[in-house]
Amino acid sequence: MAMSDLAPTGTPATPPESGPRGRRPRRPRRSRRLAGRDVVVVAVLLGLAVVIDIAFIWGPTIASVVLSFSSWNGVGDITWVGGQNYDNIVNNYPPFWPALRHNLLWLAFLGLVATPLGLFFAVLLDKELRFSRFYQSVIYMPVVLSLAIVGFIAQLVYSRDYGALNSILGRTSHPTDWLGDPNINIWAVLAAVGWKHIGYVMILYLAGLKAVDPSLKESAAIDGANEFQTFWRVTFPTLRPINIIVLVITVIEALRAFDIVYAINRGRNGLELLSVLVTDNIIGEASRIGFGSAIAVILLVISLGFIVTYLVRILREEPR
Amino acid sequence: MVPSSAGRSPAPSRVGFSLFGAGSPALSRRTLMRGTALGAGALALPAALAACGGDDDKGSDSGSKEVSFGSNYSDPVPKTAMESVLKGYESKASKTVKINTVDHNTFQENINRYLQGTPDDVFTWFAGYRMQFFASQSLAADISDVWSAVGSGFTDALKKASTGEDGKQYFVPFYYYPWAVFYRKSVFQQRGYTPPKTLDEFKALCEKMKTDGLNPIAFADKDGWPAMGTFDYLNMRINGYDFHVKLMAGKESWTSSQVKQVFDTWRGLLPYHQPGANGRTWQEAAQSLVAKQSGMYLLGAFVGEQFTDADRADLDFFAFPEINSQYKQDAVEAPIDGFMVSKKAKNTSGAKDLMKYLATPDAELLFLKSSPNNVATHKDADTSGYSQLQKKCAELVGGAKQVSQFLDRDTRPDFASTVMIPSLQSFINNPNDVDGLVKSIEDQKKTIFTT
Amino acid sequence: MSVEERAPAAAAARSAEQPVVKRRRRPPRPARIVLHVFLMVAALGFLAPLALAVYASLRPYAETAQRGYFSLPHKLTLHYYVQVFEQADLPKYFLNTMYIAIPAVILTLFLSSFVAFCIARLKMRGGILLLVIFTAGNLLPPQVLVTPLYQMYKSIPLPESLSSSLTLYDSYLGLVAIHVAFQVGFCVFVLANYMRTIPDEITEAAVVDGAGAFRQYWQVTLPLCRPALAALATLEFTWIYNDFLYALVLMSTGDKLPITSALNNLRGQFFTDYNLLAAGSVVVALPTVLVFLLLQRHFIAGLTLGANKG
């Protein structure tokens, strides 16, 4: 799924003989002229989608950016304070830097551990295997679970005095405080996140692997390559488009991570994350709308950074 | 409560991958027809459903016969109790009360938006700065006229707690519960402990408990707010109620020697507290009290909910010990729950009438029948039906010279949740850097209290 | 790119081969056994936390409070499940969620597939821009949007027939709208990519037959996207079903909140019986699991069908 596939001037693999249909052969497949009624249909439906997107997504986003320069409690008058919120966030808000670190740590963990594991399971399950549907379903199951149950499961497993993990490990005099010790709780949470993320990535890769031409693999085997070499030289390169998607997903998950830490302890004491800080300041009773919006804008800028990088890749690949 | 992440980006699709040409067989005509019908239905569906979903909420503008009541009493027992209280009103005044119950946490998180949007006529809320804040933002209606009718049933302290910054009343109290140091009578009897009156006695008792193999003080702060009780009491005992109130209002500096003394005293007591507090919920800590593993627990009277009915008779408390003889044990922390009328109420006169009813001892007692851990606020409420513990609670609060509301109700909510919670948790993790801690709190406070 | 051409042929060949493979029943190689063992262990590892949660939901609070969650039971009880149905009022909240999720999923898929169609099949000018606008919109953290959205919702008037609160705030339509707006972005990205893989000859044929844009979309392109749509439907349903944020901010009537709120009702003001919450969570999670199991064969099986489209 390279973005070049989407370029208006892309050349998908179709036979060049469109001559017999009486069309001008050289014309790139660009916007064909739409008949009158078509224009209306397209305008209405496409227009509806665009209007909804702009009105409900981009409008509020821009409004949030504007609000980030204000100090407002949601009820009274808005006072404009320039960059003061940003100054306070960076210098005067202890949870901010840990949150940023944790988001980056999240990204590293997902990118270097969870995603490769997802690929690993996908490769394992790509074979003709009995029960493979069972394995796939089980590994995917954590993905459909909601916030409440994941938070509860974390409590079940990691609670210092009552949890399963400490019961199994058997330490009773000085049990490890998996959730309460700010030095290790982020790792405990990342394990739980991996639990959810692996199934997600696995399904993506499974779909992609199923589309890999088996004859390629067979010819590699005939040439004497072992499984690992076959994978690395033949299969993996054809997965490139999926890698892009998975990369995008991973980045999104890392930057928007929220659920698990919020369910465990509302994202405090070692589990700070940027999205949680935004929530604390905007959603709750605290109502530091301007301040929270500033944190959100920082998160937005980081997200946009990735979007722009992605965009640059697309445009660069496009064979103009 | 817990806003979850909305709209996580779905897996870009397990689908997208048959890029390489594998497609699916074309759908049959029948499926297509079904699809079209579904599509058309989908467009009409929201309108139809919203219409039928919206019917039950005709709003309380159907004359002055209906009053709407926004309630956060979402637990099953208080919910039923509240319903019976309101039914009492309905039969008395031959009006209808429409109850809108939202779960406890969501209600609080949403209060700002709720009051600005389409609030109910009467809503449940708390006394303290949290109440004054909304009053000063013109989101609550002035009910001084209600107070002139029913005010005689409440003490001055309660009236003060119901008054906004402009001197008018906005709140009617319903019940309250004190914070105190709870213990199990049987444990104290068995080991020969006596409730301490001063800090030194308290420390000595902790030492004794330690040597006896008990954890002296149960402690939990995973949720962030329980530790505030300890801070409040230490501050009020060491520096007095007035200083505490001023500190909460942002008028005193956190880097002052008084505040540092509070944290230093607390550090001295920390070795007697359960370790690992930041990973423990108050329920787990209360369970350690139930299981006789901990000797004492500073918490609100709701700790009783963790005890079975049989065990609850064994529960007792003593007031937080005196530290400074100037302030003795004058102040008691007793959060008050009650009601307010929203500014945007559709039926203000009906709302005020309901408030008058809710301010009666009958209404309070009707509720408290199923609430053994709370105490009525009305002077004339008949306390004969109270349990031993409730009577003691009523005495404690009744005899208090000053009543505080708890840190997160006495100060600005943004200060309490975004500054104090993380700060107290970091103190528990590292009690040695008090200077750094109070400086950080003071710096953050300055950015909040100016706005 | 050559894979694109060869895959249909290869897949066809493969499906022709399949009967042969199935009949080949030789004893499993030792490597296979190791693989199975590993996968079994992994699967059990994945299931374990869930199993623990279900186990906890069957035990009384007093017991787990005393002995921890990982202990042998003295007493197992379905009492919590009964309580969940009695206390949490699940049917009402479930219905509320359906009012939101079903229209939202259908509308999202419909609109986004059409936009994807315009981008990938009609190849409109400015397609890339459209794609970027939609995709980037979904990359935003939702918390960024809520305050302005709330203000906006409060000030959009609606007739009584569409919203009892007379504004977009506190209405199902409002929630459906924001879910659609937010999810369309991603679905456009996915579907546009997917549609790109459909060979153009198919639509060419339809054009020659005189089909207008909508017919090309509805009768030709959309059926070919079935696996994509099934997968997206599963995920969209799961995400919208599990959402709490938008409902929290944009609804104020307790009776209209979705099912995630029903779980909150199981939490007390002070005391939360976590075992009860576990039972509630299990029950609430069932529909999403069901949807996954129902639709699973469409997008996993669909992909292995390598049928030739040419």
Side-chain angles (χ1 to χ4, degrees), chain C residues 128-144:
Chain C
I128 288 261
L129 179 65
L130 266 185
L131 191 65
V132 168
I133 290 180
F134 278 102
T135 311
N138 188 252
L139 284 171
L140 302 172
Q143 289 89 352
V144 172

Side-chain angles (χ1 to χ4, degrees), chain B residues 133-255:
Chain B
F133 175 75
F134 294 109
S136 64
Q137 299 289 337
S138 308
L139 290 173
D142 172 14
I143 50 168
S144 311
D145 46 355
V146 174
W147 267 85
S148 40
V150 301
S152 51
F154 299 101
T155 61
D156 283 336
L158 283 169
K159 185 166 186 188
K160 196 156 171 241
S162 312
T163 308
E165 284 163 5
D166 55 2
K168 307 203 181 95
Q169 283 76 44
Y170 292 92
F171 178 83
V172 156
F174 198 46
Y175 65 80
Y176 50 8
Y177 53 91
W179 275 61
V181 184
F182 287 84
Y183 62 91
R184 291 195 71 152
K185 283 190 277 218
S186 54
V187 172
F188 269 45
Q189 266 162 15
Q190 189 193 357
R191 313 271 195 169
Y193 301 143
T194 48
K197 279 252 154 15
T198 65
L199 185 63
D200 293 325
E201 285 175 28
F202 187 64
K203 277 188 171 164
L205 178 60
C206 291
E207 276 296 331
K208 249 187 111 190
M209 285 184 175
K210 239 182 163 171
T211 47
D212 286 343
L214 279 177
N215 168 54
I217 310 174
F219 195 42
D221 200 33
K222 183 154 172 262
D223 306 312
W225 51 267
M228 292 175 178
T230 311
F231 176 83
D232 282 355
Y233 265 126
L234 283 172
N235 197 20
M236 291 195 291
R237 293 289 186 260
I238 296 176
N239 300 313
Y241 175 79
D242 290 327
F243 178 81
H244 178 70
V245 168
K246 287 219 202 85
L247 185 67
M248 293 294 107
K251 300 202 177 93
E252 292 280 355
S253 166
W254 284 78
T255 47

Side-chain angles (χ1 to χ4, degrees), chain B residues 79, chain C residues 83-96 255 259 262 265-266:
Chain B
K79 187 166 176 222
Chain C
Q83 204 181 337
V84 164
F85 280 102
E86 284 173 359
Q87 187 181 319
D89 213 356
L90 283 185
K92 174 175 79 175
Y93 290 109
F94 180 72
L95 214 56
N96 291 348
D255 286 340
I259 202 164
N265 284 334
L266 294 176

